[in-house]
Amino acid sequence: MKSQASLSTYSAVFSRFTRFAIVGLSGVFVDLGMFYFLHSSLGLALTISAMLSTEIAIINNFIWNDLWTFNDVSLQPNISQKLQRFVKFNLICLVGLILNSLIVSLLFYKFQVNEYIAKLIAIACVTLWNFWLNLKINWQLTNKTVDVVVDI
């Protein structure tokens, strides 16, 4: 019985991680699309366009994670709680962005890994980092929450 519960927990976490990754992938398209629009269409400076498009992607990802990935945990109607989650999500993503840059630089400059391979490795690492921190800090899951997800 205990191993079945463990398997159910892992299955629920894997399901959430899959949704988190899908949302993250949508964020890549939002980021690139907004970057193109801001920089090429509106003529904003490169750095401003990059910063704004990244923040818009973070907002996109927060909304979809709150509505879909962690919808059973984010049912609180309190706008203050939602705003707190958004601020935490933004901070976690900021740390993830810094980690991403450090990993790419370390792999490329120190270990001579191809820059695109280094970027893919960094994305994988930071995705795991962002998911784990959001799971533990932002959308805290309890055993009861996991049981509800498994039963669905």
Side-chain angles (χ1 to χ4, degrees):
M1 186 75 169
K2 189 173 183 173
S3 71
Q4 184 181 7
S6 293
L7 184 60
S8 294
T9 300
Y10 290 125
S11 176
V13 170
F14 181 75
S15 173
R16 277 191 206 277
F17 178 74
T18 301
R19 286 180 276 171
F20 189 85
I22 291 168
V23 168
L25 183 61
S26 80
V28 170
F29 289 104
V30 168
D31 196 344
L32 291 173
M34 287 306 300
F35 178 74
Y36 176 81
F37 174 73
L38 294 169
H39 185 61
S40 297
S41 298
L42 295 183
L44 294 180
L46 183 76
T47 303
I48 296 294
S49 297
M51 291 169 59
L52 287 174
S53 67
T54 298
E55 185 58 29
I56 291 167
I58 288 170
I59 293 167
N60 169 77
N61 289 7
F62 173 77
I63 291 168
W64 284 110
N65 279 313
D66 207 49
L67 291 173
W68 185 45
T69 307
F70 299 103
N71 64 331
D72 55 321
V73 195
S74 58
L75 297 174
Q76 307 96 334
N78 187 338
I79 193 73
S80 173
Q81 291 172 324
K82 194 174 285 278
L83 185 58
Q84 286 176 354
R85 280 197 310 274
F86 175 69
V87 169
K88 286 187 231 177
F89 186 80
N90 239 320
L91 291 172
I92 290 168
C93 289
L94 174 63
V95 173
L97 176 65
I98 293 167
L99 284 173
N100 186 302
S101 299
L102 290 172
I103 292 168
V104 169
S105 295
L106 177 72
L107 291 174
F108 181 74
Y109 292 113
K110 179 81 172 163
F111 297 105
Q112 289 76 45
V113 173
N114 173 280
E115 63 263 38
Y116 297 103
I117 301 296
K119 184 67 173 166
L120 286 172
I121 292 168
I123 288 170
C125 292
V126 170
T127 298
L128 291 170
W129 158 269
N130 283 346
F131 176 72
W132 182 79
L133 243 61
N134 276 296
L135 187 70
K136 296 299 180 188
I137 294 173
N138 216 359
W139 288 280
Q140 297 96 4
L141 298 183
T142 64
N143 286 338
K144 181 180 175 189
T145 307
V146 171
D147 290 342
V148 169
V149 171
V150 171
D151 289 340
I152 293 177

